[in-house]
Amino acid sequence: MTRQPFPETGRDWSDLRSEMQALKTGDVDWQNGRVPLYVFRSDQTTYDVGKQAFFDFFSENALGRNRAFPSIRKMERDVLDFGLSLMSAPDDADGAFTTGGSESILVAMKMAREKKRAGKATGDGRMNIVAATTVHPAFDKAADLMDMEVRRGAISEDGRADPATLRALIDGNTVAIVGSAPCFPHGVVDPIAALSDLALETGIWLHVDACVGGWMAPFFTMNGRATPTFDFRHPGVRSISADLHKFGFCPKPASTVFARDGEDLARASFVSGPWPNGRFETSTLVGTRPGGAVAAAWAVLHHLGVEGYRDIARRLAEMTDAYVAGIEAVPGLKMHAVPDLSIINFGSDEVDIFAVADEMSRGGWLPGLTNAPRGMHAMMSLFHDPARDDYLTDLRRAVEVVRKDHRQTSTQATY
């Protein structure tokens, strides 16, 4: 492989920008709804508000919020208070602003582990996390970093975690039970009420991974759409992770993690030992964090308010319903689960859905895929709404092509 040499001389921005824009021509057209994940947008005005706020605080470092940047401290506190209120947290709850769902999950699992260490493990072997097969791989990452294992239980026919199956996996070294709101593969919220009962019965920490739904599901509920509850109203829930940069529609990187008891959040903080500069403490995994992400989240939340988020929730629900109806109208296709929010997953008993995905790729669409069951998957945002008719037309054509050719092989991979 030829290594790119370090540039000898500098270049003007206009020249650099031209090259960068040229590089983008090979990207999938996400702005017109052809990418099923990675990017989230509500409307252009909100996008512009977040972008401007981010760049107004482009240089500030959230690590220095207590010493140098009280503006960042104030905005971060406001954002956390908004989230705690939205998730029905008790008065002594607290939260932390992180760079993403994986970091929020790492912090939550550290809280759970330290709580377990403060008690007494009664089993042999490694500490473990118990969750459904649909739990996000970020929990495997957290377990790997903290020398734990993830024990996965089978799901019910509706795609949700099965509390009885999880109960069988629990032992004296179980650090946490995890439920998803919703799970990424199927877009359904696990039975948090039943998991809460299980957590209280066994005395085990219950974490709810609401990285996808945390900042949006409450507004579905406010609009009268039947959406399962997942938050601190369930007494067994000890922590919740929720991404601002997904369905909070804030610029990346921005996520939150909340603890029912503020002392648990403090328990998970990192504090350095002796070094020449004295005490060093962070409540998150990283040190430096972009102040722009905090400012942008603060600005977007204030810009939209409850009224704005309820309007987005209404439009997301209507769009999702329209996609589901359109997909189910294609002969041979079926939904793998009824979505609680805006994640969909569908497949077929008549044609190879991965071969259908091949055809969609040829039409300029990036398919999201699941292996078990084999399905086409999308975590949809509002820029998918204008693309719906084109998507459904191309999907119907792709199914017909595969059916006619009797094709049962594919080049698609899930990642």
Side-chain angles (χ1 to χ4, degrees), residues 106 170 175 205 242 322 336 343 384 390:
L106 284 165
I170 293 171
V175 165
W205 187 287
H336 286 311
I343 291 179
H384 291 103
D390 287 344

Side-chain angles (χ1 to χ4, degrees), residues 136-207:
H136 196 276
F139 289 92
D140 296 273
K141 186 183 295 185
D144 184 61
L145 290 172
M146 289 184 270
D147 193 25
M148 298 191 292
E149 64 172 320
V150 178
R151 296 178 175 178
R152 282 180 161 79
I155 57 175
S156 302
E157 289 184 3
D158 60 2
R160 305 175 202 275
D162 179 4
T165 301
L166 300 190
R167 180 193 295 271
L169 300 175
I170 293 171
D171 66 11
N173 280 334
T174 300
V175 165
I177 304 165
V178 180
S180 302
C183 70
F184 186 78
H186 301 305
V188 294
V189 177
D190 286 336
I192 303 303
L195 295 180
S196 172
D197 291 342
L198 178 60
L200 293 174
E201 175 192 335
T202 57
I204 295 173
W205 187 287
L206 172 60
H207 176 76

